[in-house]
Amino acid sequence: MTKPDAYKVSSVDIPEVVSRRKSIQSVEIGARVLLSLLKTDPGGSFLRDVAYHSGLSRSQAHRYLLAFVNAGMVEQDASSGRYSLGTLAVRLGLGAIATLDPVRSPQDTLRDC
C-alpha cells in the first residue's frame, strides 16, 4: 500500500550537516532507504514502497536492500517478501540510546540529534 507524499523521505529527515559537507552519496542514499522503512507499515515494507519513499527505482532500492540484508541492517520476511529493520539496526539504536544522558531534558537531547 503506497502512502501519500507526506511519508516520502525528504532532506528534512537527514541531518543538515550531511548535506553541507562533501560526503559519500551512496551512504546518504542508503540512509534514505533505511528511513523509508520507518515511514511505512510497521509490519514491513514491500520493495515498491521502499523505492517510492526513498525516491529510487525498484532496481536501485533492491540493490541497497540486499546490501543491508547481507550486513544484518535489514531483514526480509521469506513468506511475505517485506523488508524491516534488522538486528544490526536494533543494536545501533540501543547503542545510541545508551549514550543519552537521562538527566538532560528531552528537548536538549533532541536538539543534539
Side-chain angles (χ1 to χ4, degrees):
M1 176 175 169
T2 303
K3 297 197 178 181
D5 285 344
Y7 290 94
K8 273 187 125 172
V9 176
S10 69
S11 59
V12 173
D13 297 311
I14 299 174
E16 187 180 326
V17 169
V18 172
S19 62
R20 288 187 292 157
R21 295 182 183 169
K22 187 173 183 175
S23 62
I24 299 172
Q25 186 179 14
S26 60
V27 173
E28 293 177 18
I29 293 169
R32 288 193 342 235
V33 170
L34 294 172
L35 287 169
S36 73
L37 293 174
L38 296 176
K39 296 214 171 239
T40 55
D41 191 335
S45 303
F46 290 108
L47 173 61
R48 68 175 177 267
D49 297 325
V50 172
Y52 175 79
H53 292 292
S54 61
L56 299 173
S57 69
R58 288 185 187 190
S59 64
Q60 289 172 310
H62 186 249
R63 287 193 305 269
Y64 276 93
L65 287 166
L66 284 179
F68 285 132
V69 166
N70 291 340
M73 193 71 154
V74 170
E75 295 176 349
Q76 184 180 23
D77 182 271
S79 61
S80 69
R82 289 179 171 219
Y83 294 92
S84 59
L85 292 176
T87 55
L88 180 57
V90 173
R91 288 178 56 201
L92 289 172
L94 291 172
I97 290 170
T99 66
L100 299 177
D101 182 356
V103 178
R104 291 177 64 185
S105 74
Q107 187 175 10
D108 290 342
T109 300
L110 290 174
R111 187 177 23 242
D112 292 344
C113 293

